[in-house]
Amino acid sequence: MAGGPTTDTADGSGRTEPICRTEPTRRAEPIRRAEPTRRAEPAGRTEPIRRTEPTRRTEPAGRTEPTRRAAPTRRIEPTRRTGVWLIGARGSVATTVIAGCAALTAGLHRPTGMVTESAPFTDPPVPALPALSALVFGGHDTLSCPLPKRAEELAADGVLPYGLPQAVHAELTAADAAIRPGGPQPGDTRTDTELIGAFAADLRAFGRDHDLGRTVVINVASTEPAPADPHGERLPASSLYAYAALRAGCPYLNFTPSTGLHHPLLQEMATVSGLPYAGRDGKTGQTLLRSVLAPMFAQRALAVRAWSGTNLLGGGDGAALADPGAAAAKNAGKARVLADTLGELPAGDLHIDNVPALGDWKTAWDHIAFDGFLGSRMTLQTTWQGCDSALAAPLVLDLARLLAAAHTVGLSGPQPALGFYFKDPDGGPAALADQYTALVEYAELLRTGTPS
Ligand SMILES: NC(=O)c1ccc[n+]([C@@H]2O[C@H](COP(=O)([O-])OP(=O)(O)OC[C@H]3O[C@@H](n4cnc5c(N)ncnc54)[C@H](O)[C@@H]3O)[C@@H](O)[C@H]2O)c1
């Protein structure tokens, strides 16, 4: 599967055309320090990046803060269309999101896997949720492969249904026309300040050109390693985009483990931005299962002695996660659910292996050693085999609609009720059942402006 920064995707699929490839991103120049500021920059400003004082908190932005509402609002319906701006817009997840939304809108497929299309959100409906037909897609990518071609590659690999790329060709072409060059590109001489300014300008132009009510920015780009120095001079690419989203007045979602808003330079700016945001790293497979099973062991008072895991995957994500730094960023989120639900992190390692032949199809194996009554030793093993992008796409569509609705009804700050969707959420409960309860309550908040 194509698309990752270190692609080597010869998979014997019989393709005759070259697969679109991503160039590795370049580290750009240091940000100049400026005086500390306590205010976020309003949308449309073009001043250089300002550094806030390093915060004393060790948690990511706003992790422990509750959802704050600007003003109770009842039954607000979005009147204009909603933009969905995908960072990594030509990747497997993004292409599946765009093609999938078009397929659902055309009535070609059922919305399987979309929680916002299930009873808590549809019966009665949540008026603030934008209709799937009201979503307009655009984004940034460092790759130039046209979306229809990416969709054909995904169909050839069995990720998208046969014939779907042709059926939704017009929608893919329209989204493709709204994708702007990302960065930093190899040889890019722009400073971080210039890159942020360019990305924010792209976002504003997208909203203007399509007469959008709001645009939700979603990071689905290749996972980057955690910065070596979290207080360093340079912003990682994911944080440049997150900064641009705040500057352009856009709600922000981080579906990857990359830094994004969780950078000390951005934390206070995010908190005072008046915008809703959520992350990090979509919970689609192994961690989804862990967030169900770990609470079971805790509730049955069984002693987990070791929890070990291995992931085999290919595609662009597999290639990106072959970098030990990127894999470490991913594994941190996967481990967090165990620590949060069991009270401490059990022994056991977690591995991610790149197997290009598997493409987007992931196998995740977990081995759980636990003690029962009188120290009796037992084992549970699970094997998850899933299509990564098919698992991720409905969640990305759910999150785009939910964060747009949150913005519509005046919610701001971290949205812990969206922890249901993330490995490394901004607070809230860690067990999936409790997270689902919080999400259903959130539906009521979005519906009526009043917590249930
Ligand atoms: N089930 C899932 O698929 C799942 C679950 C959780 C998280 N994620 C995360 O979602 C992300 C996307 O996964 P994917 O399978 O689509 O990967 P992919 O490799 O197919 O796509 C990533 C895209 O990001 C682009 N990109 C890289 N650097 C960029 C930059 N600086 N600016 C703009 N674009 C850039 C690449 O060109 C590529 O098109 C990964 O970070 C992955 O870890 C996926």
Side-chain angles (χ1 to χ4, degrees):
M1 185 127 345
T6 56
T7 50
D8 178 9
T9 57
D11 57 6
S13 62
R15 290 191 194 84
T16 52
E17 297 177 63
I19 297 171
C20 301
R21 289 170 189 269
T22 310
E23 293 298 324
T25 57
R26 179 189 66 79
R27 285 230 176 266
E29 301 158 24
I31 301 168
R32 283 205 187 84
R33 285 171 191 266
E35 287 305 305
T37 177
R38 299 193 61 75
R39 291 183 58 78
E41 301 203 11
R45 297 265 299 266
T46 54
E47 291 94 314
I49 302 166
R50 297 209 183 116
R51 174 179 285 274
T52 55
E53 282 297 326
T55 62
R56 281 189 294 277
R57 293 195 339 200
T58 52
E59 299 94 333
R63 167 163 288 168
T64 56
E65 292 175 20
T67 299
R68 287 167 291 120
R69 291 194 296 124
T73 318
R74 290 185 181 272
R75 301 191 65 80
I76 297 179
E77 297 194 41
T79 51
R80 290 190 292 165
R81 293 184 303 165
T82 297
V84 180
W85 189 265
L86 299 163
I87 313 297
R90 301 190 191 282
S92 301
V93 171
T95 306
T96 307
V97 166
I98 297 166
C101 186
L104 300 186
T105 300
L108 300 177
H109 289 269
R110 294 167 57 81
T112 307
M114 284 193 65
V115 182
T116 53
E117 289 293 317
S118 66
F121 290 90
T122 59
D123 187 19
V126 176
L129 275 184
L132 289 171
S133 58
L135 302 183
V136 181
F137 293 95
H140 282 119
D141 205 303
T142 47
L143 197 67
S144 57
C145 181
L147 268 184
K149 182 167 165 53
R150 283 294 288 125
E152 281 164 22
E153 290 173 358
L154 290 174
D157 288 343
V159 176
L160 293 179
Y162 177 77
L164 184 63
Q166 291 74 34
V168 299
H169 189 269
E171 290 87 345
L172 290 168
T173 303
D176 193 67
I179 298 177
R180 296 286 169 266
Q185 297 275 7
D188 204 329
T189 56
R190 290 175 292 178
T191 64
D192 282 6
T193 302
E194 290 168 336
L195 285 163
I196 292 166
F199 297 156
D202 289 339
L203 281 166
R204 287 192 214 100
F206 179 61
R208 209 171 41 240
D209 292 350
H210 296 275
D211 189 28
L212 303 173
R214 59 191 45 76
T215 295
V216 178
V217 174
I218 308 181
N219 181 20
V220 284
S222 314
T223 297
E224 54 189 29
D229 175 6
H231 294 276
E233 293 286 325
R234 302 311 317 271
L235 288 180
S238 63
S239 298
L240 298 175
Y241 289 114
Y243 197 124
L246 297 182
R247 185 178 277 184
C250 298
Y252 174 83
L253 284 159
N254 190 356
F255 200 77
T256 81
S258 303
T259 307
L261 280 181
H262 288 229
H263 191 284
L265 270 176
L266 275 64
Q267 288 187 5
E268 184 162 356
M269 184 178 172
T271 305
V272 302
S273 66
L275 296 164
Y277 50 87
R280 287 187 296 184
D281 202 5
K283 184 165 63 190
T284 56
Q286 184 179 47
T287 315
L288 179 69
L289 208 50
R290 287 177 166 211
S291 67
V292 174
L293 291 176
M296 176 196 77
F297 285 107
Q299 288 160 0
R300 276 293 172 97
L302 296 167
V304 174
R305 292 189 294 115
W307 199 310
S308 314
T310 288
N311 292 269
L312 308 178
L313 78 160
D317 201 20
L321 295 172
D323 175 341
K330 177 71 87 176
N331 284 343
K334 286 175 179 276
R336 183 181 161 198
V337 66
L338 297 184
D340 286 356
T341 48
L342 297 174
E344 61 181 6
L345 189 60
D349 288 332
L350 190 52
H351 299 275
I352 301 179
D353 291 343
N354 179 29
V355 184
L358 292 183
D360 215 38
W361 299 84
K362 180 196 279 181
T363 295
W365 175 68
D366 264 359
H367 181 286
I368 307 145
F370 64 99
D371 282 352
F373 195 50
L374 306 180
S376 142
R377 298 201 155 184
M378 292 175 261
T379 300
L380 170 68
Q381 295 181 52
T382 62
T383 306
W384 173 279
Q385 291 183 299
C387 175
D388 250 4
S389 297
L391 289 163
L395 308 191
V396 172
L397 287 170
D398 271 349
L399 285 165
R401 301 176 80 194
L402 288 165
L403 211 64
H407 193 231
T408 299
V409 304
L411 302 182
S412 66
Q415 304 294 300
L418 298 182
F420 178 72
Y421 291 97
F422 294 110
K423 294 186 185 78
D424 184 21
D426 295 319
L432 192 75
D434 299 335
Q435 291 175 333
Y436 181 69
T437 301
L439 183 69
V440 171
E441 288 169 2
Y442 193 66
E444 192 59 17
L445 175 62
L446 294 176
R447 185 181 289 117
T448 64
T450 312
S452 59

